[in-house]
Amino acid sequence: MLKKPALYTDFYELTMAQGYYLSGKYNQTAVFDYFFRKLPFHNGYVIFAGLGDLLEVLQNFHFHKDELKYLKEQGFKDEFLNYLRDFRFKGDIWSVNEGEIIFPNEPVLHVEANIIEAQIIETLLLNLINFESLIATKAARIVKVALNKPVVDFGLRRSQGTGGMQASKAAVIGGVNSTSNAAAGFEHQLPVSGTMAHSWIQFYEDELKAFRTYAEFYPDATILLVDTYDTLKSGLPNAITVARELENKGHKLKGIRLDSGDLAYLARKSRKMLDSAGLDYVQIVASNQLNEHVIKSLNEQNAPIDLFGVGTNLVTAFDNPALDGVYKLSRVGQKPSLKISENIEKITLPDIKKIYRYKNEDGSFNSDGITLESESAPDNIIHPLYPLKTKNVSSLESEQIVHQVVKNGKVTIEIPSAKESGKYARQRLGKLNEEHKRFSNPHIYKVGISKALQKLRDQLLEERGV
């Protein structure tokens, strides 16, 4: 992660911080909520990711001498720079677990600190959580339509710079089996895998020589790329030859990879040729601009593909490249605060809040209720925008899903690994009913607010003449 995270921010965060300091307001406590407004990909949920990286970065969040020199060159005043010299984040953070299933407008994370500390980490927090949650959610969609067939992240070369590190980690949280990203494998102890490039085959005098050479070095892990010249007339026959030679040496060809053309047609033809040669154990890997829609179609066509390699569309979230997560002030000192908008959907919820998740008798998720910090789980929840819509949840068990993760600047939990967060995500996703996980037109998961929270919001709106 970032070695110098303090300047990884929007410039106005720093100008506001200096303004708070020079006006003597910097010790005033503030609370900010993180939430998102719109589900990506027309999906029914989001997988919360990025918390682990945020906690890691905050442990090393301070300004270095060269950064302070740079800020002085930008016109910042000496007294503020002296304050930044010893700056550390000493506030508190509450959050849902990494891998939790979350829904629009839920305050799934909140920061309580002095106004400068709370404000200055905003951009970093949004950058990490928005991106990783987006990629984890995209990965979960792809994994679902893969129908228990392994999915590999092939996206590093198409990722947005070094964001490929976060993308590979988030993809594993979302359920991807492994990654081609060796650095992410090393950094996060992720399973890594790969095949070969067309250049390997082109480098040798002929395709068969290229296949034989690779198989010689990796006799138990060879996946041959068969489309460099002609998939069915050259690639497959040569792969079959090498497979038989490996058998004679006591090894087995692991698979072939299709990376162009009509994948369903070529997979069927390849499977028939392999099976006819007695090579029914050889797997077929497919790649080439795959996404959840293409994979769904391939499975609906009963294409005999055993593994999917997904690159660009996964790590860039190609069809929905940003999650609109926001970070909004909800309390100043002891005074609740809210943002007012002409668009009623953008009016925020005030004060410090909790989220209760209600469960059905079988343990599946029923609905979520947002309450004030002092409240226990309410018996009724109210639609945030349409108060006549209510839901009685008095007969349902509930759990709080927001917990403290940082206290006085110190991380209070064991930061989860990508594998741990991925396991948790799969457990929680398993408790979400299928109607909310539909590929198209998923049923809207119910999220309501308590009567007390509704009353506080309406009171503050009335005070401001709304």
Side-chain angles (χ1 to χ4, degrees), residues 268-287:
R268 279 193 288 271
K269 288 290 187 179
S270 298
R271 185 75 275 158
K272 185 176 181 180
M273 291 173 68
L274 290 167
D275 290 353
S276 296
L279 301 170
D280 58 341
Y281 58 84
V282 175
Q283 294 188 321
I284 297 176
V285 178
S287 54

Side-chain angles (χ1 to χ4, degrees), residues 96-205:
V96 298
N97 293 330
E98 186 163 59
E100 185 60 88
I101 311 305
I102 60 174
F103 305 95
N105 300 308
E106 293 186 317
V108 293
L109 179 150
H110 71 263
V111 175
E112 183 172 0
N114 74 48
I115 184 61
I116 292 181
E117 292 178 19
Q119 190 83 71
I120 215 164
I121 68 169
E122 174 183 4
T123 301
L124 175 67
L125 183 152
L126 290 173
N127 176 273
L128 294 173
I129 291 177
N130 280 339
F131 180 61
E132 293 191 35
S133 297
L134 183 75
I135 302 304
T137 306
K138 182 70 168 179
R141 282 176 58 79
I142 292 170
V143 168
K144 180 173 175 58
V145 298
L147 302 179
N148 297 317
K149 298 175 182 178
V151 177
V152 180
D153 157 36
F154 277 3
L156 180 59
R157 62 187 55 201
R158 300 287 175 78
S159 65
Q160 318 295 32
T162 54
M165 291 292 288
Q166 292 168 252
S168 295
K169 180 181 180 183
V172 169
I173 292 174
V176 164
N177 298 83
S178 60
T179 178
S180 67
N181 184 342
F186 170 76
E187 184 74 22
H188 302 297
Q189 295 301 297
L190 306 178
V192 291
S193 61
T195 59
M196 60 174 60
H198 294 103
S199 57
W200 172 273
I201 296 156
Q202 293 172 261
F203 180 79
Y204 289 88
E205 54 267 32

Side-chain angles (χ1 to χ4, degrees), residues 251-269:
H251 303 285
K252 288 185 175 182
L253 178 65
K254 188 172 183 180
I256 63 163
R257 176 158 71 98
L258 304 172
D259 191 50
S260 60
D262 186 326
L263 295 176
Y265 170 79
L266 291 173
R268 279 193 288 271
K269 288 290 187 179

Side-chain angles (χ1 to χ4, degrees), residues 206-396:
D206 62 66
E207 186 177 55
L208 184 57
K209 176 65 174 177
F211 284 0
R212 280 173 168 159
T213 303
Y214 198 90
E216 179 183 350
F217 297 135
Y218 309 104
D220 297 308
T222 294
I223 297 176
L224 298 174
L225 181 59
V226 295
D227 72 331
T228 303
Y229 303 119
D230 188 306
T231 300
L232 299 180
K233 294 181 180 179
S234 174
L236 254 297
N238 285 330
I240 289 170
T241 296
V242 171
R244 286 171 170 161
E245 291 173 353
L246 282 170
E247 282 187 337
N248 291 335
K249 297 175 183 178
H251 303 285
K252 288 185 175 182
L253 178 65
K254 188 172 183 180
I256 63 163
R257 176 158 71 98
L258 304 172
D259 191 50
S260 60
D262 186 326
L263 295 176
Y265 170 79
L266 291 173
R268 279 193 288 271
K269 288 290 187 179
S270 298
R271 185 75 275 158
K272 185 176 181 180
M273 291 173 68
L274 290 167
D275 290 353
S276 296
L279 301 170
D280 58 341
Y281 58 84
V282 175
Q283 294 188 321
I284 297 176
V285 178
S287 54
N288 186 34
Q289 297 300 315
L290 297 182
N291 59 34
E292 63 266 46
H293 303 281
V294 175
I295 292 173
K296 184 173 186 290
S297 175
L298 289 169
N299 280 329
E300 287 173 348
Q301 296 173 70
N302 295 315
I305 295 170
D306 301 293
L307 184 150
F308 299 100
V310 188
T312 306
N313 286 281
L314 169 59
V315 301
T316 66
F318 192 80
D319 51 335
N320 197 142
L323 181 66
D324 69 341
V326 295
Y327 187 76
K328 297 298 182 183
L329 185 67
S330 62
R331 184 182 178 109
V332 178
Q334 299 302 310
K335 186 177 180 181
S337 177
L338 83 173
K339 176 186 177 293
I340 297 174
S341 172
E342 293 182 1
N343 183 344
I344 189 173
E345 293 180 352
K346 289 193 173 184
I347 296 175
T348 60
L349 296 172
D351 218 340
I352 301 175
K353 297 167 287 293
K354 297 187 294 192
I355 303 174
Y356 288 95
R357 178 151 294 170
Y358 295 92
K359 299 179 181 180
N360 300 309
E361 287 186 3
D362 62 359
S364 62
F365 299 156
N366 178 282
S367 54
D368 288 359
I370 306 170
T371 75
L372 294 171
E373 182 184 32
S374 59
E375 292 186 84
S376 55
D379 291 337
N380 289 278
I381 53 176
I382 304 164
H383 194 289
L385 303 180
Y386 306 104
L388 294 181
K389 291 185 176 182
T390 64
K391 180 178 177 62
N392 187 300
V393 290
S394 59
S395 63
L396 303 177

